[in-house]
Amino acid sequence: NAGVTQTPKFQVLKTGQSMTLQCAQDMNHNSMYWYRQDPGMGLRLIYYSASEGTTDKGEVPNGYNVSRLNKREFSLRLESAAPSQTSVYFCASRLDRTAGLFTGELFFGEGSRLTVL
Amino acid sequence: AQTVTQSQPEMSVQEAETVTLSCTYDTSENNYYLFWYKQPPSRQMILVIRQEAYKQQNATENRFSVNFQKAAKSFSLKISDSQLGDTAMYFCAFMKLLLGGSEKLVFGKGTKLTVNP
């Protein structure tokens, strides 16, 4: 099973360039998340989506936009990349509480390392 | 807002020994889940163990167990018979359960555990 798939896994950008991180899950989950991980900071929530067509800001949304294209896909866009956005980005998804076997577990992709020069 | 504190940035343990990682959290909620995630050098986020706040019994998964002290808002992870493969970053995480289903996972900053041969 593929689970949660992120692309690309590595990317180098110059300041001011734009890019989109793609995420897709094949587990029929409604809830999807984007986190960033920085040394000594743990994982911080950028945006999340509780269902198709809805998105909400997390702890660190500035400089990012998201699109919940359909139930499977949740993309993260950097419109004008800054060096402060150098980080590892994780997409995750979660089974709904209404689905029966709710555990709260988030299933993560393998991460995308982004460097902004 | 909920906060999760891991007071030990780094720890080390000898192979086959036991080690305990600390985690405290701050919440006024009564209905929530707690998690420990492991992140080995591969960067993959792996669920180690979870605890539902309404359950008094401490969760156990093979060599991993927790000491959940709800009144003290403490959630420590004990690893018994440590193995070299346990070397990883360990993240404590908190999830408040919401009526609307928009649960988010809040992470601590992590503890880097090294198991020495």
Side-chain angles (χ1 to χ4, degrees):
Chain A
N1 289 338
V4 178
T5 303
Q6 293 180 228
T7 56
K9 289 186 170 46
F10 299 93
Q11 184 72 49
V12 179
L13 290 177
K14 294 181 179 178
T15 297
Q17 288 185 319
S18 62
M19 76 157 298
T20 299
L21 296 173
Q22 307 284 356
C23 175
Q25 51 90 12
D26 62 1
M27 296 174 282
N28 203 36
H29 291 169
N30 270 326
S31 297
M32 296 186 73
Y33 306 82
W34 275 106
Y35 284 89
R36 62 176 288 174
Q37 181 180 15
D38 302 292
M41 298 298 293
L43 280 78
R44 294 179 292 171
L45 183 64
I46 306 171
Y47 271 93
Y48 66 101
S49 171
S51 63
E52 182 180 350
T54 67
T55 60
D56 286 288
K57 296 178 180 179
E59 181 185 356
V60 288
N62 290 345
Y64 305 95
N65 286 304
V66 290
S67 296
R68 186 70 184 269
L69 304 170
N70 48 55
K71 191 171 185 177
R72 291 187 64 248
E73 299 172 290
F74 187 39
S75 62
L76 179 71
R77 183 161 178 83
L78 286 70
E79 291 290 352
S80 179
S84 61
Q85 294 179 302
T86 293
S87 187
V88 177
Y89 292 85
F90 285 93
C91 178
S93 70
R94 177 180 59 76
L95 186 66
D96 294 337
R97 289 180 66 189
T98 58
L101 292 174
F102 178 78
T103 65
E105 179 182 1
L106 264 62
F107 295 84
F108 286 84
E110 295 180 341
S112 300
R113 181 176 292 278
L114 175 66
T115 301
V116 183
L117 302 176
Chain B
Q2 283 74 30
T3 58
V4 178
T5 302
Q6 294 179 247
S7 59
Q8 306 148 316
E10 293 192 39
M11 295 188 72
S12 63
V13 64
Q14 292 298 122
E15 197 174 5
E17 299 287 305
T18 294
V19 64
T20 298
L21 279 58
S22 300
C23 173
T24 59
Y25 57 96
D26 183 23
T27 185
S28 58
E29 303 294 328
N30 199 45
N31 197 12
Y32 52 88
Y33 284 17
L34 293 161
F35 304 84
W36 280 99
Y37 275 85
K38 168 185 177 180
Q39 186 182 44
S42 67
R43 205 167 67 191
Q44 182 68 45
M45 293 290 288
I46 303 165
L47 178 66
V48 175
I49 199 166
R50 70 182 185 92
Q51 175 81 41
E52 293 141 10
Y54 69 87
K55 290 186 176 179
Q56 293 185 341
Q57 186 173 7
N58 289 325
T60 299
E61 289 287 342
N62 300 316
R63 298 182 295 106
F64 299 87
S65 61
V66 297
N67 183 6
F68 174 46
Q69 301 289 327
K70 190 172 184 179
K73 299 178 184 178
S74 171
F75 184 60
S76 60
L77 175 69
K78 186 172 81 171
I79 306 174
S80 303
D81 185 24
S82 297
Q83 301 176 359
L84 296 179
D86 295 334
T87 293
M89 283 289 291
Y90 287 82
F91 293 99
C92 179
F94 172 97
M95 177 183 284
K96 178 176 70 172
L97 298 183
L98 300 170
L99 287 176
S102 299
E103 287 88 0
K104 297 170 282 188
L105 202 58
V106 177
F107 287 88
K109 294 183 178 182
T111 296
K112 183 179 180 181
L113 176 67
T114 302
V115 180
N116 298 309

